Amino acid sequence: MANNAIFARLSNLWTGFISLWVSDIEKEHPEIAYQNAIASMIQKYTQLKSATGAIIARRQEITARLSSHERELAGISTDLEAALATGQDDLAVVLIQKKNALDASITELRADAEQATTDADNAKDSLMQVKTEIDKLKAEKDRMLAQMHSAQARIKIQGQLDGLSVDAEVQALGAVRDHIKGQVAQASLGSELHNSDLDVRLAKLRQSSGSVTAKAQLEAMKQARAASAQASVKNL
C-alpha cells in the first residue's frame, strides 16, 4: 500500500513536471497550442457529426416505419369497411385486431419520431455550435498570432534602438570637452604664471619708469624753452 502511494505521488509529480514543460513550450510557441486546440475541437466535431448522422438515420428509419404503418392502417381501414359491408364478421374481427395493433404501434412510433426529431435538431445545433467555436478559434489564432508578431517586431526594434543609444557618444564628447577645457585652463594658467613672474614684473616696472622719466624730461624741456623765450623778451 505504501509503495502504491509513493508511485502515485511520483506519477502525479512527473505529470506536473510534464504539464509545466508543455505549458512553457506553448507559451514560447502559441501557434502550437492553438493548433492543438483546433485539432482537438475538429476531432470532437467529427465524432459529433458521426453521432448526429446516426441520430438522423434513426429518425429517418422511424419516420419510414411510421409512414409504412400509416399506409398499412389506411389499407386495413378500407378492408374493414368492406368486410363490414359484406357481413364478413370473422374477417372484420381479424382486421380490427390488426387495426388496434397498428394504432398502438403508430402511437408509439409517433412519440419515437418526435423524440428522434428533437434529438436530431439538438445534435445539429450542437454540431453548428462546435463548428462556430472552431471558426472563432481559428480567427482568434490568426488575430493573436498577428498581435504577437507585431509585439515581437516592436520589441526587436526597441532593442535595436537601445543598441543605438547615444550615451557612449555623449560620454566621448564629454571627455573631449573636458580635455579642451583643460587645455584652455592650462593656457590661462601659463599666462597667469607668466604675468606673476618677477622678471616680467621688473620689466613692466622698467617700462613704466622709462615712460615716467620721458615725461619728466619732456616737461623740463618745455620749461627750459619757456624760460628762454622770456629771457629773449626781457633783453629786447
Side-chain angles (χ1 to χ4, degrees):
M1 294 295 291
N3 289 336
N4 290 338
I6 291 175
F7 283 128
R9 291 173 61 186
L10 289 174
S11 177
N12 292 335
L13 183 62
W14 177 252
T15 301
F17 280 131
I18 293 296
S19 178
L20 291 174
W21 177 66
V22 171
S23 179
D24 290 339
I25 292 179
E26 289 177 341
K27 289 178 182 178
E28 293 295 328
H29 304 281
E31 64 277 6
I32 296 177
Y34 272 105
Q35 192 57 43
N36 288 339
I38 292 172
S40 178
M41 293 189 68
I42 290 176
Q43 183 180 4
K44 292 179 180 178
Y45 176 81
T46 302
Q47 294 173 347
L48 183 58
K49 187 176 181 180
S50 178
T52 301
I55 292 174
I56 292 175
R58 180 174 179 274
R59 183 198 62 185
Q60 292 174 342
E61 188 267 337
I62 292 174
T63 301
R65 286 172 56 196
L66 178 60
S67 297
S68 177
H69 280 43
E70 288 174 342
R71 288 193 299 271
E72 186 177 357
L73 178 62
I76 289 177
S77 296
T78 299
D79 292 340
L80 179 59
E81 291 295 332
L84 292 174
T86 57
Q88 302 182 55
D89 293 344
D90 55 343
L91 183 58
V93 170
V94 174
L95 292 173
I96 289 173
Q97 290 176 345
K98 287 186 176 182
K99 181 178 179 300
N100 291 338
L102 282 173
D103 285 337
S105 181
I106 288 173
T107 299
E108 182 177 352
L109 285 173
R110 284 175 178 171
D112 290 344
E114 183 177 354
Q115 183 62 49
T117 300
T118 300
D119 292 343
D121 291 340
N122 291 337
K124 288 189 293 184
D125 290 341
S126 298
L127 197 63
M128 292 304 298
Q129 288 178 1
V130 173
K131 187 178 185 302
T132 299
E133 290 300 320
I134 292 174
D135 294 338
K136 287 171 60 178
L137 194 57
K138 288 180 178 179
E140 179 184 341
K141 171 193 172 185
D142 294 338
R143 184 177 65 256
M144 295 300 290
L145 291 181
Q147 291 180 1
M148 183 191 71
H149 293 153
S150 176
Q152 289 176 340
R154 290 168 58 192
I155 292 173
K156 184 177 180 180
I157 293 173
Q158 187 61 47
Q160 292 175 345
L161 291 177
D162 292 340
L164 295 176
S165 174
V166 296
D167 290 344
E169 288 75 3
V170 170
Q171 290 177 2
L173 288 177
V176 171
R177 293 189 186 104
D178 291 341
H179 177 70
I180 293 173
K181 290 178 180 179
Q183 293 292 318
V184 173
Q186 184 177 351
S188 300
L189 177 60
S191 178
E192 291 178 5
L193 292 176
H194 178 73
N195 291 334
S196 64
D197 186 81
L198 291 176
D199 293 337
V200 174
R201 291 172 63 188
L202 181 58
K204 288 183 178 180
L205 180 60
R206 287 174 179 172
Q207 289 177 358
S208 177
S209 298
S211 177
V212 171
T213 302
K215 288 180 179 179
Q217 289 177 347
L218 175 62
E219 189 62 29
M221 291 174 69
K222 287 181 178 180
Q223 290 177 359
R225 288 175 64 85
S228 177
Q230 289 178 359
S232 294
V233 172
K234 289 180 180 182
N235 289 335
L236 294 173

